[in-house]
Each structure stands twice: as C-alpha cells, then as structure tokens.
C-alpha cells in the first residue's frame, strides 16, 4: 500500500510538471509572437520611437529615424537627447519634461512637446513628440511637422501683411501700437503714430491705370520702409493710406523727442513726394502726414484716431505737409457725429435702398446666392455707395474725405462702417435683407441671401443669436437661406465668445462665411478656431490673381486649404473674364462681381433669378452682364482702389 501510494504521488507530480511545461511552452510562443508583432509595429511605423533613460541618453531609436531625421538609428543610440534639440528650444523642453515627470501619472499620463530637432544634414526640423513615462525615463513618439509649421507661418504672415506691398496691415499695426503703449516704457511720450495719405493717387489710377497705381504703391511702401528706423514699424492700412509707429527715446526731453519725430515725418514727406517712375511714365504724388504722440493712459484706438485727425488737417491745409495733432481737432469728431445723425435721419425717412449682387457658380453659371448691399437714395434720386454716404455728409457737415474714402474698403456694406456707423443702419440692413429674401422664397426664388456683419455686431447683446432667430421666425425665412459673412472687425474681439456665437447661429441652420480672407482680421486664427462653412477671398487679393504671380500663389494656397477643409469657396470683386478663368483653374467654386452682374434692384434681381444662370466667361473681353440703367455694359474696374459704379434703380 505504501509503495502504491508513493507511486501514485510520483505519477501525479510528473503529470503536473508535464502540464506546467506545456503551459510554459505555449506562453513562451505567445510572448514571442506578441514581441514580434510589436517589434514589427515599432520598426514599420512612420513615426520615430525613441526611449531615453533617466539621464536623457537615448537607449533605443526606431529605424524610421533614417527617413525622418536623415540619421541612422544606431548613430543616435547613446546620444544625449539635449544635444539634438535646438538651443533656443532646450530650456522650454527641459521645463516641460520636469513638470511632466513631477505630475501624478494618473492625472497626466502623456504630454506633447514641439521643438526643433537636428537632422543628419545639419538642418533643423520641426518635430512634434508625444511623451510617455518609462522606468524613470521617457518614451517619445515623434513626427516631422516642418511642412505644417512652414505653411502656418506663411498663412500667418499673409494674414498680418498687405498682399501688395508686404508691409504689416492694419491688424498687425494696431497690435504693435498696443504693445508700445503697454510695454515697459508705457507712458513714454516719445512714441508717436504717423498717418500718411498719398495726395493725387486717384489721378494716377484714372490716367495711367490701376496697374501703374499698384506699382506706385509698392515703390511708396519701399521708400517708407527704408526711411523709418530699425525699431520702427511701417504699415499699409488700405488704399493709398500708410502708417508708421515711431518708438520713443526715453533719454530725451519731450521737446527734443517731438522735434526728432517731426524731422522723421518731414523726411518721409519729402521722400514719398519724389517723382515715381511707373509704367515708363514719371508721375508725382504728394504726402500728407498726421502725427500724434502717445500720452499717459491713451489707448491705441485714440492714438491712431488722433493721427488720422491730424492727417486730415494736413490735407485740408493744402496737402503735402506735416500736421501735429492738437486737442481742438476733436471738433472734427463732433461734426462726424452730426453727419452720422444725418444718415440716421435719412434711414428713418426711408431714403435707404437695398441692392443684391448675384453669387454665381463658376462650374454651371447658376445663381447660388445673392449678397445684400445698402445704398442711400438722395433727394435728387441718386444712389450713393457706402463710401459716398460720408462724402455727401462732408459737403454740409465737414466729415473728413479720408474717412469717406476709407469706408470704400470696409466690408460691412453699411454706411460709415467702423467708427461713427449708426447701429440702426446695420439693423435695418439685416431686417430688410431677411424680409426681401422671405418674399423671394414665397415667390419661388429660394436662393440664400448673404449679409455682412462685423464681429462686434454679432457679439452685441441686443443682436444675434436670439434676435436673429426671432427675425427668421417672424418673416418665415428658413435658417438655411441666410449666410452671415463675418466681416473684418476689431482684432481685440474675444475669439472664445465669437466662436460660441457663431456655433449658436450654425445650430439654427445659418451658414457662416469668412469674408475678406487673405487680409486683415480674416486670418489663419479665425480659420483655425471659428466654425466656418464658406471661405470668401478678399477683393484686393482677387484683383491681382492675373497680373501678380505672388498673389496668384497665395490665392491658390487659400483655395486649396478651403477644399481640404471641406469648405465652399467664393471670390468677391471678380470683374474680368481673365480672373474667372484663373480662379476656376485654382479650384474656386463661386464668384461675385462685374464679370457676371453688378448690384441689382429687386425687379432686375427677380428677372435674373428667373433666368437662373449667367454665362461663365471663357475669354470674352466684356463682362457677361452688368446691370446698368439701360441694361448695357458697364465700365469694368481693374483695381481695388476705387468704388465700383452702381446701377440706379
């Protein structure tokens, strides 16, 4: 019995050991398969996977390093990670890694770091890495994002610079003025803003053409850039209006600093007034310059307004001169307010009319939408464009002509866009556009209506989204029949709040278009953060797509971005058949301009909608349709510096 029991126990132990051995063999095979699987994933990944020990030395680098960094993995193993990072980025990277390692793993399992990494040929690549903890060290999953960073930088530059002259635009100039007023030398009265207007520039456009006008503007920008000091900023604000920010000198007294700025302004005036050689012709323009000095507590808006007032005083005093701002110039602002009151009275008296310009599909010629535009009908029956609203007021109220001219480049389509624009006119424009669109829908013309609105208007507590929803419901217009074109606005408008407002509008079914893309406010930041359905190219960009290879490349890049993001694209100010052909070849889907039709009254608009399509130019020299008084062709605008003529009703 004892022997039998012993044999049984030994047999059981042998069987158990055999089972365990079989399990171990199976587990070993499974582990080997998984190890081979993960090794294949790591070695076949297009991202570079690196493991660094606690001292920062690389202990493993995946084979993808050869294709991404141009360096073999074996060459990188044993290298200090810090030696591969750009010296200017190293401090930031070390700080982020230490912060990450000190954080509880449960709260922050990974982090993301972007820095410049040294390639095998000595260049610096922009690398984005996802970082995980590993036995006191780090696992880095890295990818090359150099092309993305380059494109973002190019788009950011385009958004902050004038496409014609490559000078900073109004938005960037305003930010630099704000920085000068709020920096460590805030309150230094030596800082000054110069507003510069080229007298006689319109005559250049009218006599030898807009191409020559563009050449003159480029040359004037070059002279301005070369005349200011290294730490100063020269900018183009629009049209023939430039500006310069002259930083102060804390080592001088006020009188000496003002004299220095005055000398700079006189030198600028003399330089810009020298003859220009454009298009084989010598032309002359003069420069009127207004100067305003920073005072303690002054805001960027007030400082730039003061310089604008001084510039107008220089023009009113005979042009080709420099004028320093004086407090009594505020009286001009009062007269502008009186002019705004006159416009308000005209609105209440029913003197305003609404025209619509068709937005046409470049593929089929069909009218896909209509863009609402305000006009002021004077007592003599003349229709005035937004720029001319203030010109008429100037005759009796003393409104600066410079401000009236600037209004021509404002995107609201409402009189006095920007400062001095009565809010009642903006409300009237929206109300009238929705009402007339609802009537057209009831009559069977179901095309959407596009209404330009500034971001400040969208964020008005009394405005959308609540009142806009009520407006659509009151007139019975389907939400999908309204397109809100986000117009250029104050760059200080908070993006977070604007994003929430636009998202609320989209929930109503309202489409959002980013108007004037390629200049000013409509920059890469807006495209990145705001919910946008349609990207609309700026007219100044469209005007140069035929003649300027630089503008053509920028426009093509913007249209490619719109296509990649699944957005519709539209071009405004398409006045020539050549522009239609160029935009179609770039992938633009819709266009608005004199190549198809000018702004139409309601009767002519309905006739156009019944017709349904416009001929898409295929090389014709004349526009396909222009809504003149007698239905004839209208003069085609070949530049972006003058107001487009508008047909009377």
């Amino acid at each position: 019995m004892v022997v039998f029991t012993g044999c049984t126990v030994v047999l059981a132990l042998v069987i158990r050991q055999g089972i365990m051995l079989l399990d171990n063999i199976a587990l070993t095979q499974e582990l080997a398969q998984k190890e081979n699987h993960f090794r294949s994933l790591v070695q076949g990944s297009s991202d570079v996977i690196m493991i660094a020990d606690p001292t920062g030395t690389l202990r493993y680098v995946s084979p993808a390093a050869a294709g991404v960094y141009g360096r073999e993995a074996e060459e990188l193993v044993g290298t200090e990670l810090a030696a591969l990072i750009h010296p200017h980025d190293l401090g930031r990277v070390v700080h982020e890694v230490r912060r990450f390692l000190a954080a509880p793993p449960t709260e922050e399992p990974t982090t993301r770091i972007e820095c410049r990494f040294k390639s095998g040929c000595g260049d610096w690549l922009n690398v984005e890495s996802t970082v995980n903890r590993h036995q006191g060290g780090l696992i880095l999953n890295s990818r090359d994002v150099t092309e993305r960073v380059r494109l973002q930088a190019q788009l950011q530059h385009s958004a902050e610079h004038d496409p014609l002259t490559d000078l900073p635009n109004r938005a960037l100039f305003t930010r630099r003025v704000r920085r000068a007023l709020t920096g460590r030398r805030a309150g230094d009265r030596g800082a000054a803003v110069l507003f510069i207007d080229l007298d006689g520039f319109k005559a250049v456009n009218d006599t030898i053409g807009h191409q020559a006008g563009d050449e003159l503007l480029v040359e004037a920008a070059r002279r301005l850039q070369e005349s200011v000091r290294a730490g100063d900023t020269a900018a183009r604000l629009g049209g023939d209006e430039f500006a310069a920010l002259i930083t102060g000198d804390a080592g001088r007294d006020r009188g000496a600093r003002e004299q220095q700025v005055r000398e700079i302004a006189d030198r600028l005036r003399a330089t810009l007034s020298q003859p220009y050689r454009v298009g084989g012709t010598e032309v002359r323009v003069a420069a009127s310059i207004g100067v305003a000095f920073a005072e303690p507590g002054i805001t960027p808006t007030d400082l730039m307004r003061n310089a604008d007032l001084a510039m107008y005083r220089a023009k009113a005093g005979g042009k080709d001169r420099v004028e320093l701002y004086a407090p009594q110039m505020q009286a001009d602002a009062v007269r502008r307010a009186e002019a705004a009151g006159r416009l308000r009275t005209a609105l209440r008296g029913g003197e305003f009319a609404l025209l619509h310009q068709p937005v046409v599909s470049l593929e089929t010629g069909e009218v896909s939408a209509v863009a609402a535009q305000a006009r002021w009908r004077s007592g003599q029956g003349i229709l005035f464009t937004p720029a001319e609203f203030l010109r008429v007021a100037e005759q009796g109220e003393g409104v600066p002509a410079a401000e009236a001219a600037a209004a021509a480049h404002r995107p609201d389509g409402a009189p006095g866009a920007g400062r001095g624009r009565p809010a009642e006119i903006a409300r009237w424009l929206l109300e009238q556009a929705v009402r007339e669109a609802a009537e057209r829908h009831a009559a069977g013309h179901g095309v959407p209506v596009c209404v330009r609105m500034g971001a400040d208007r969208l964020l008005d507590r009394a405005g959308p989204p609540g009142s806009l929803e009520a407006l659509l419901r009151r007139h019975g217009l389907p939400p999908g029949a309204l397109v809100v074109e986000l117009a250029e606005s104050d760059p200080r408008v908070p993006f977070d709040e604007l994003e929430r407002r636009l998202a609320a509008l989209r929930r109503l079914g309202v489409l959002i278009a980013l108007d004037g893309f390629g200049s000013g406010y409509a920059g890469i930041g807006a495209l990145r953060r705001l919910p946008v359905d349609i990207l609309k190219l700026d007219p100044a960009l469209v005007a140069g797509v035929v003649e300027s290879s630089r503008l053509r490349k920028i426009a093509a890049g913007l249209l490619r971005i719109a296509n990649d993001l699944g957005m519709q694209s539209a071009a405004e100010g398409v006045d020539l058949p050549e522009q239609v052909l160029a935009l179609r070849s770039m992938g633009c889907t819709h266009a608005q301009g004199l190549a198809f039709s000018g702004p139409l009254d309601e009767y002519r608009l309905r006739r156009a909608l019944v017709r349904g399509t416009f001929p898409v130019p295929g090389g014709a020299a004349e526009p396909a349709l222009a809504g003149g008084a007698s239905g004839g062709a209208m003069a085609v605008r070949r530049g972006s510096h003058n107001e487009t003529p508008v047909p009377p009703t």
Side-chain angles (χ1 to χ4, degrees):
M1 182 61 71
V2 171
V3 172
F4 177 77
T5 301
C7 291
T8 302
V9 171
V10 170
L11 180 62
L13 290 174
V14 171
I15 294 173
R16 180 181 177 187
Q17 290 295 326
I19 293 174
M20 292 178 63
L21 179 60
L22 292 175
D23 288 343
N24 286 338
I25 293 173
L27 289 173
T28 301
Q29 291 176 345
E30 182 180 357
L31 182 61
Q33 290 176 353
K34 289 184 177 180
E35 184 177 351
N36 290 333
H37 175 69
F38 284 112
R39 182 180 293 107
S40 299
L41 288 177
V42 170
Q43 294 182 349
S45 173
S46 60
D47 291 351
V48 180
I49 299 174
M50 301 182 292
I51 299 177
D53 63 19
T55 66
T57 302
L58 293 177
R59 295 307 179 191
Y60 173 79
V61 179
S62 67
V68 176
Y69 299 148
R71 307 178 69 171
E72 296 298 331
E74 294 79 7
E75 178 187 347
L76 292 174
V77 173
T79 305
E80 291 284 342
L81 185 60
L84 303 174
I85 298 175
H86 195 285
H88 293 169
D89 298 341
L90 183 58
R92 174 174 54 83
V93 172
V94 171
H95 174 77
E96 174 62 19
V97 168
R98 288 176 177 172
R99 184 204 61 78
F100 170 66
L101 293 176
T106 55
E107 296 181 5
E108 191 174 4
T110 65
T111 189
R112 183 165 300 204
I113 297 176
E114 187 170 324
C115 64
R116 285 167 289 181
F117 200 88
K118 194 171 186 178
S119 69
C121 59
D123 296 334
W124 293 101
L125 304 175
N126 292 93
V127 174
E128 182 183 70
S129 301
T130 301
V131 183
N132 295 270
R133 299 172 180 83
H134 175 69
Q135 298 179 359
L138 301 171
I139 296 180
L140 299 95
N141 191 332
S142 306
R143 63 203 61 87
D144 182 7
V145 294
T146 303
E147 184 62 22
R148 187 195 72 188
V149 172
R150 185 197 62 79
L151 180 59
Q152 286 179 341
Q154 180 181 351
L155 291 175
Q156 186 68 30
H157 181 86
S158 299
E160 294 181 338
H161 290 76
D162 173 59
L164 179 65
T165 64
D166 206 37
L167 289 180
N169 59 18
R170 182 182 293 270
L172 180 57
F173 183 76
T174 302
R175 286 199 295 273
R176 292 188 178 178
V177 172
R178 183 179 301 110
R179 190 184 309 145
L181 296 181
T182 58
R184 60 183 179 84
R185 291 163 62 178
D188 175 15
R189 300 183 181 184
V193 168
L194 281 60
F195 266 40
I196 306 161
D197 189 82
L198 300 181
D199 306 315
F201 176 75
K202 184 178 182 299
V204 175
N205 281 338
D206 294 342
T207 55
I208 60 176
H210 288 274
Q211 179 63 35
D214 287 346
E215 293 178 17
L216 190 150
L217 290 175
V218 172
E219 174 61 19
R222 185 190 64 79
R223 295 183 186 183
L224 176 61
Q225 184 70 55
E226 292 178 353
S227 298
V228 298
R229 302 171 305 176
D232 300 332
T233 298
R236 183 190 179 206
L237 304 184
D240 60 343
E241 187 172 323
F242 295 85
L245 170 64
I246 308 299
T247 57
D249 184 354
R252 299 192 177 195
D253 58 43
R254 177 173 181 175
R257 286 176 295 186
E258 290 185 359
Q259 179 61 29
Q260 181 191 38
V261 173
R262 179 62 185 258
E263 291 174 356
I264 294 174
D266 283 330
R267 185 171 67 251
L268 285 176
R269 183 198 57 76
T271 301
L272 294 174
S273 300
Q274 292 295 319
Y276 294 81
R277 191 76 181 176
V278 292
T281 305
E282 184 177 282
V283 297
R284 291 179 177 269
V285 296
S288 295
I289 302 179
V291 181
F293 288 91
E295 300 288 344
I298 195 170
T299 65
T301 301
D302 290 342
L303 181 58
M304 295 173 65
R305 179 206 62 198
N306 293 347
D308 197 11
L309 291 172
M311 186 265 290
Y312 169 66
R313 179 62 60 88
K315 294 178 72 68
K319 303 181 180 180
D320 193 18
R321 56 183 294 170
V322 175
E323 192 76 33
L324 301 183
Y325 170 77
Q328 62 266 27
M329 294 180 184
Q330 287 292 348
D332 291 340
V334 175
R335 286 194 289 272
R336 283 196 296 273
E338 293 173 353
R342 181 179 176 184
L343 294 177
R344 196 176 299 113
T345 301
L347 173 63
R348 294 170 181 169
E351 298 179 19
F352 283 95
L354 195 65
L355 302 183
H356 294 85
Q357 189 170 30
V359 180
V360 178
S361 169
L362 293 182
E363 183 67 27
T364 64
E366 295 179 354
V367 179
S368 59
V370 293
Q373 301 178 6
R375 296 294 184 266
W376 180 15
R377 190 191 308 276
S378 71
Q380 292 77 28
I382 302 174
L383 280 181
F384 292 106
T385 62
E388 293 167 325
F389 293 163
L390 291 177
R391 290 197 188 102
V392 172
E394 178 193 0
Q395 297 172 4
E397 304 294 344
V399 174
E403 181 172 327
H409 304 285
R410 306 282 168 79
D412 284 57
R419 52 180 185 169
R421 173 181 59 82
E424 293 90 343
I425 295 177
R427 286 194 289 269
W428 173 86
L429 175 64
L430 178 62
E431 173 92 23
Q432 190 77 359
V434 171
R435 183 182 65 80
E436 293 187 10
E439 292 175 356
R440 287 193 295 273
H441 270 259
H445 305 300
V447 295
V449 61
C450 306
V451 180
R452 287 188 176 103
M453 300 182 69
D456 51 350
R457 172 69 178 146
L458 284 169
L459 296 180
D460 186 357
R461 296 294 182 183
S467 64
L468 183 55
E469 182 181 18
L471 181 63
L472 295 173
R473 187 169 53 250
R474 182 167 68 251
H475 291 288
L477 181 67
L482 176 64
V483 179
V484 170
E485 297 181 351
L486 182 62
E488 182 177 359
S489 185
D490 190 335
R492 295 172 298 180
V493 170
F495 259 54
D496 292 339
E497 188 175 355
L498 181 59
E499 184 179 6
R500 288 193 294 270
R501 288 298 179 95
L502 293 179
L505 289 177
R506 291 186 78 194
R507 286 194 292 271
L508 297 177
V510 176
L511 298 177
I512 306 299
L514 189 58
D515 188 52
F517 195 79
S519 67
Y521 174 79
I524 186 63
L527 186 63
R528 178 173 59 88
R529 297 190 54 184
L530 301 181
V532 176
D533 304 292
I534 304 167
L535 188 148
K536 199 166 186 180
L537 293 184
D538 186 78
L541 190 61
V542 173
V545 295
V546 176
E547 295 86 358
S548 171
S549 60
R550 177 185 179 87
L551 296 185
R552 187 161 55 250
K553 290 178 181 178
I554 293 175
L558 299 179
L559 291 171
R560 188 161 54 248
I561 290 174
N563 182 64
D564 291 344
L565 295 177
M567 297 179 183
Q568 295 186 40
S569 57
E572 186 177 3
V574 182
D575 299 337
L576 302 174
E578 296 92 327
Q579 294 170 346
V580 174
L581 297 176
L583 290 167
R584 286 186 65 181
S585 67
M586 298 176 193
C588 186
T589 59
H590 297 81
Q592 166 190 343
L594 297 181
F596 302 101
S597 171
L600 304 174
D601 60 24
E602 189 65 20
Y603 173 74
R604 287 184 175 85
L605 176 62
R606 295 205 180 196
R607 284 178 54 192
L609 294 178
V610 169
R611 180 179 176 180
T613 62
F614 287 88
V616 177
E622 296 295 326
L625 177 64
S630 60
M634 180 166 49
V636 178
R637 176 171 63 96
R638 292 184 175 272
S640 59
H641 312 305
N642 290 336
E643 185 72 25
T644 303
V646 177
T649 55

